[in-house]
PDB file of all heavy atoms in Angstrom:
ATOM      1  N   PRO A  11       6.432  -6.942   3.178  1.00 98.00           N
ATOM      2  CA  PRO A  11       7.353  -7.559   4.186  1.00 98.00           C
ATOM      3  C   PRO A  11       7.889  -6.510   5.147  1.00 98.00           C
ATOM      4  O   PRO A  11       8.245  -5.316   4.783  1.00 98.00           O
ATOM      5  CB  PRO A  11       8.524  -8.144   3.301  1.00 98.00           C
ATOM      6  CG  PRO A  11       8.513  -7.493   1.998  1.00 98.00           C
ATOM      7  CD  PRO A  11       6.971  -7.210   1.761  1.00 98.00           C
ATOM      8  N   ASN A  12       8.029  -6.882   6.349  1.00 97.00           N
ATOM      9  CA  ASN A  12       8.599  -6.134   7.501  1.00 97.00           C
ATOM     10  C   ASN A  12       7.722  -4.937   8.000  1.00 97.00           C
ATOM     11  O   ASN A  12       8.039  -4.274   9.025  1.00 97.00           O
ATOM     12  CB  ASN A  12       9.975  -5.562   7.083  1.00 97.00           C
ATOM     13  CG  ASN A  12      10.914  -6.667   6.879  1.00 97.00           C
ATOM     14  OD1 ASN A  12      11.032  -7.647   7.720  1.00 97.00           O
ATOM     15  ND2 ASN A  12      11.620  -6.672   5.696  1.00 97.00           N
ATOM     16  N   LEU A  13       6.599  -4.649   7.327  1.00 98.00           N
ATOM     17  CA  LEU A  13       5.761  -3.661   7.794  1.00 98.00           C
ATOM     18  C   LEU A  13       5.118  -4.024   9.097  1.00 98.00           C
ATOM     19  O   LEU A  13       4.422  -3.096   9.740  1.00 98.00           O
ATOM     20  CB  LEU A  13       4.724  -3.230   6.541  1.00 98.00           C
ATOM     21  CG  LEU A  13       5.511  -2.555   5.513  1.00 98.00           C
ATOM     22  CD1 LEU A  13       4.670  -2.326   4.190  1.00 98.00           C
ATOM     23  CD2 LEU A  13       6.111  -1.064   5.846  1.00 98.00           C
ATOM     24  N   ARG A  19      10.642  -0.813  14.065  1.00 87.00           N
ATOM     25  CA  ARG A  19      11.575  -0.828  13.017  1.00 87.00           C
ATOM     26  C   ARG A  19      12.028   0.540  12.394  1.00 87.00           C
ATOM     27  O   ARG A  19      11.254   1.316  11.941  1.00 87.00           O
ATOM     28  CB  ARG A  19      10.850  -1.520  11.778  1.00 87.00           C
ATOM     29  CG  ARG A  19      11.673  -1.671  10.421  1.00 87.00           C
ATOM     30  CD  ARG A  19      10.837  -1.990   9.371  1.00 87.00           C
ATOM     31  NE  ARG A  19      11.770  -2.107   8.200  1.00 87.00           N
ATOM     32  CZ  ARG A  19      11.189  -2.130   6.822  1.00 87.00           C
ATOM     33  NH1 ARG A  19       9.977  -1.929   6.650  1.00 87.00           N
ATOM     34  NH2 ARG A  19      12.014  -2.230   5.839  1.00 87.00           N
ATOM     35  N   TYR A  24      10.703   5.176   9.413  1.00 91.00           N
ATOM     36  CA  TYR A  24       9.319   4.759   9.282  1.00 91.00           C
ATOM     37  C   TYR A  24       8.298   5.286  10.205  1.00 91.00           C
ATOM     38  O   TYR A  24       7.171   5.011  10.020  1.00 91.00           O
ATOM     39  CB  TYR A  24       9.292   3.260   9.150  1.00 91.00           C
ATOM     40  CG  TYR A  24      10.104   2.691   8.076  1.00 91.00           C
ATOM     41  CD1 TYR A  24      11.240   1.871   8.262  1.00 91.00           C
ATOM     42  CD2 TYR A  24       9.871   3.009   6.651  1.00 91.00           C
ATOM     43  CE1 TYR A  24      12.062   1.358   7.190  1.00 91.00           C
ATOM     44  CE2 TYR A  24      10.650   2.576   5.568  1.00 91.00           C
ATOM     45  CZ  TYR A  24      11.597   1.681   5.912  1.00 91.00           C
ATOM     46  OH  TYR A  24      12.422   1.154   4.851  1.00 91.00           O
ATOM     47  N   ASN A  75       1.450  -0.792  -0.229  1.00 98.00           N
ATOM     48  CA  ASN A  75       2.878  -0.631   0.148  1.00 98.00           C
ATOM     49  C   ASN A  75       3.529  -1.951   0.050  1.00 98.00           C
ATOM     50  O   ASN A  75       3.391  -2.737   1.028  1.00 98.00           O
ATOM     51  CB  ASN A  75       3.019  -0.016   1.512  1.00 98.00           C
ATOM     52  CG  ASN A  75       4.506   0.359   1.769  1.00 98.00           C
ATOM     53  OD1 ASN A  75       5.322  -0.056   1.151  1.00 98.00           O
ATOM     54  ND2 ASN A  75       4.716   1.150   2.917  1.00 98.00           N
ATOM     55  N   ALA A  76       4.261  -2.213  -0.946  1.00 98.00           N
ATOM     56  CA  ALA A  76       4.869  -3.570  -1.150  1.00 98.00           C
ATOM     57  C   ALA A  76       6.205  -3.784  -0.433  1.00 98.00           C
ATOM     58  O   ALA A  76       6.794  -4.714  -0.567  1.00 98.00           O
ATOM     59  CB  ALA A  76       5.029  -3.915  -2.650  1.00 98.00           C
ATOM     60  N   GLY A  77       6.629  -2.702   0.275  1.00 98.00           N
ATOM     61  CA  GLY A  77       7.883  -2.851   1.071  1.00 98.00           C
ATOM     62  C   GLY A  77       8.961  -3.127  -0.058  1.00 98.00           C
ATOM     63  O   GLY A  77       9.017  -2.596  -1.113  1.00 98.00           O
ATOM     64  N   ALA A  78       9.896  -3.889   0.348  1.00 98.00           N
ATOM     65  CA  ALA A  78      11.206  -4.228  -0.456  1.00 98.00           C
ATOM     66  C   ALA A  78      10.707  -4.936  -1.758  1.00 98.00           C
ATOM     67  O   ALA A  78      11.490  -4.693  -2.777  1.00 98.00           O
ATOM     68  CB  ALA A  78      12.068  -5.054   0.377  1.00 98.00           C
ATOM     69  N   THR A  80       8.671  -3.938  -3.689  1.00 98.00           N
ATOM     70  CA  THR A  80       8.368  -2.792  -4.716  1.00 98.00           C
ATOM     71  C   THR A  80       9.561  -2.830  -5.720  1.00 98.00           C
ATOM     72  O   THR A  80       9.364  -2.596  -6.921  1.00 98.00           O
ATOM     73  CB  THR A  80       8.480  -1.363  -3.934  1.00 98.00           C
ATOM     74  OG1 THR A  80       7.524  -1.436  -2.817  1.00 98.00           O
ATOM     75  CG2 THR A  80       8.375  -0.290  -4.792  1.00 98.00           C
ATOM     76  N   HIS A  81      10.723  -3.170  -5.185  1.00 98.00           N
ATOM     77  CA  HIS A  81      11.860  -2.958  -5.994  1.00 98.00           C
ATOM     78  C   HIS A  81      12.346  -4.159  -6.767  1.00 98.00           C
ATOM     79  O   HIS A  81      13.375  -4.189  -7.531  1.00 98.00           O
ATOM     80  CB  HIS A  81      13.087  -2.413  -5.216  1.00 98.00           C
ATOM     81  CG  HIS A  81      12.689  -1.374  -4.185  1.00 98.00           C
ATOM     82  ND1 HIS A  81      12.177  -0.090  -4.534  1.00 98.00           N
ATOM     83  CD2 HIS A  81      12.582  -1.426  -2.693  1.00 98.00           C
ATOM     84  CE1 HIS A  81      11.858   0.548  -3.415  1.00 98.00           C
ATOM     85  NE2 HIS A  81      12.115  -0.105  -2.357  1.00 98.00           N
ATOM     86  N   VAL A 100       1.962   3.424  -2.144  1.00 98.00           N
ATOM     87  CA  VAL A 100       2.344   4.269  -1.055  1.00 98.00           C
ATOM     88  C   VAL A 100       3.543   3.746  -0.487  1.00 98.00           C
ATOM     89  O   VAL A 100       3.934   2.613  -0.398  1.00 98.00           O
ATOM     90  CB  VAL A 100       1.240   4.226   0.187  1.00 98.00           C
ATOM     91  CG1 VAL A 100       1.698   4.805   1.412  1.00 98.00           C
ATOM     92  CG2 VAL A 100       0.007   4.841  -0.271  1.00 98.00           C
ATOM     93  N   HIS A 101       4.412   4.846  -0.037  1.00 98.00           N
ATOM     94  CA  HIS A 101       5.544   4.477   0.697  1.00 98.00           C
ATOM     95  C   HIS A 101       5.682   5.390   1.942  1.00 98.00           C
ATOM     96  O   HIS A 101       5.446   6.753   1.733  1.00 98.00           O
ATOM     97  CB  HIS A 101       6.926   4.561  -0.148  1.00 98.00           C
ATOM     98  CG  HIS A 101       6.953   3.522  -1.163  1.00 98.00           C
ATOM     99  ND1 HIS A 101       7.147   2.190  -0.917  1.00 98.00           N
ATOM    100  CD2 HIS A 101       6.564   3.698  -2.505  1.00 98.00           C
ATOM    101  CE1 HIS A 101       7.028   1.568  -2.031  1.00 98.00           C
ATOM    102  NE2 HIS A 101       6.645   2.460  -3.105  1.00 98.00           N
ATOM    103  N   LEU A 102       6.052   4.895   3.101  1.00 97.00           N
ATOM    104  CA  LEU A 102       6.192   5.869   4.295  1.00 97.00           C
ATOM    105  C   LEU A 102       7.341   6.666   4.013  1.00 97.00           C
ATOM    106  O   LEU A 102       7.224   7.973   4.298  1.00 97.00           O
ATOM    107  CB  LEU A 102       6.489   5.011   5.538  1.00 97.00           C
ATOM    108  CG  LEU A 102       5.250   4.114   5.984  1.00 97.00           C
ATOM    109  CD1 LEU A 102       5.798   2.925   6.716  1.00 97.00           C
ATOM    110  CD2 LEU A 102       4.317   4.964   6.735  1.00 97.00           C
ATOM    111  N   SER A 103       8.470   6.247   3.587  1.00 97.00           N
ATOM    112  CA  SER A 103       9.602   7.014   3.358  1.00 97.00           C
ATOM    113  C   SER A 103       9.640   7.589   1.793  1.00 97.00           C
ATOM    114  O   SER A 103       9.022   7.206   1.022  1.00 97.00           O
ATOM    115  CB  SER A 103      10.941   6.317   3.597  1.00 97.00           C
ATOM    116  OG  SER A 103      11.006   5.203   2.750  1.00 97.00           O
ATOM    117  N   ILE A 105      11.328   7.296  -1.166  1.00 98.00           N
ATOM    118  CA  ILE A 105      12.393   6.260  -1.663  1.00 98.00           C
ATOM    119  C   ILE A 105      13.357   6.987  -2.599  1.00 98.00           C
ATOM    120  O   ILE A 105      14.424   6.354  -2.738  1.00 98.00           O
ATOM    121  CB  ILE A 105      11.574   5.120  -2.374  1.00 98.00           C
ATOM    122  CG1 ILE A 105      10.603   5.552  -3.475  1.00 98.00           C
ATOM    123  CG2 ILE A 105      10.768   4.332  -1.346  1.00 98.00           C
ATOM    124  CD1 ILE A 105      10.024   4.431  -4.289  1.00 98.00           C
ATOM    125  N   ARG A 108      16.708   8.041  -0.856  1.00 96.00           N
ATOM    126  CA  ARG A 108      17.393   6.806  -0.240  1.00 96.00           C
ATOM    127  C   ARG A 108      18.318   6.206  -1.130  1.00 96.00           C
ATOM    128  O   ARG A 108      18.608   6.697  -2.205  1.00 96.00           O
ATOM    129  CB  ARG A 108      16.414   5.936   0.496  1.00 96.00           C
ATOM    130  CG  ARG A 108      15.484   6.740   1.472  1.00 96.00           C
ATOM    131  CD  ARG A 108      14.430   5.853   2.226  1.00 96.00           C
ATOM    132  NE  ARG A 108      15.171   4.802   3.002  1.00 96.00           N
ATOM    133  CZ  ARG A 108      14.631   3.679   3.411  1.00 96.00           C
ATOM    134  NH1 ARG A 108      13.286   3.454   3.154  1.00 96.00           N
ATOM    135  NH2 ARG A 108      15.256   2.823   4.005  1.00 96.00           N
ATOM    136  N   ARG A 112      16.550   1.720  -4.263  1.00 98.00           N
ATOM    137  CA  ARG A 112      15.039   1.905  -3.888  1.00 98.00           C
ATOM    138  C   ARG A 112      14.271   2.906  -4.954  1.00 98.00           C
ATOM    139  O   ARG A 112      13.188   3.088  -4.828  1.00 98.00           O
ATOM    140  CB  ARG A 112      14.916   2.545  -2.546  1.00 98.00           C
ATOM    141  CG  ARG A 112      15.390   1.637  -1.464  1.00 98.00           C
ATOM    142  CD  ARG A 112      15.085   2.189  -0.030  1.00 98.00           C
ATOM    143  NE  ARG A 112      16.015   1.666   0.941  1.00 98.00           N
ATOM    144  CZ  ARG A 112      15.772   0.437   1.661  1.00 98.00           C
ATOM    145  NH1 ARG A 112      14.599  -0.204   1.531  1.00 98.00           N
ATOM    146  NH2 ARG A 112      16.499  -0.041   2.452  1.00 98.00           N
TER     147      ARG A 112
HETATM  148  C1  DQA B   1       8.981   1.268   2.085  1.00 88.13           C
HETATM  149  C2  DQA B   1      10.365   1.557   1.271  1.00 88.13           C
HETATM  150  C3  DQA B   1      11.042   0.345   0.837  1.00 88.13           C
HETATM  151  O1  DQA B   1      12.099   0.594   0.164  1.00 88.13           O
HETATM  152  C4  DQA B   1      11.352  -0.577   2.054  1.00 88.13           C
HETATM  153  O2  DQA B   1      11.879  -1.718   1.549  1.00 88.13           O
HETATM  154  C5  DQA B   1      10.162  -0.839   2.997  1.00 88.13           C
HETATM  155  C6  DQA B   1       9.266   0.295   3.215  1.00 88.13           C
HETATM  156  C7  DQA B   1       8.390   2.422   2.746  1.00 88.13           C
HETATM  157  O3  DQA B   1       7.154   2.449   2.991  1.00 88.13           O
HETATM  158  O4  DQA B   1       9.074   3.538   2.873  1.00 88.13           O
HETATM  159  O5  DQA B   1      10.070  -1.930   3.529  1.00 88.13           O
HETATM  160  O6  DQA B   1       8.077   0.641   1.096  1.00 88.13           O
END
Side-chain angles (χ1 to χ4, degrees):
N12 299 306
L13 293 169
R19 175 193 182 200
Y24 297 118
N75 181 353
T80 303
H81 318 298
V100 170
H101 298 286
L102 295 155
S103 63
I105 56 175
R108 301 183 63 196
R112 295 187 203 273

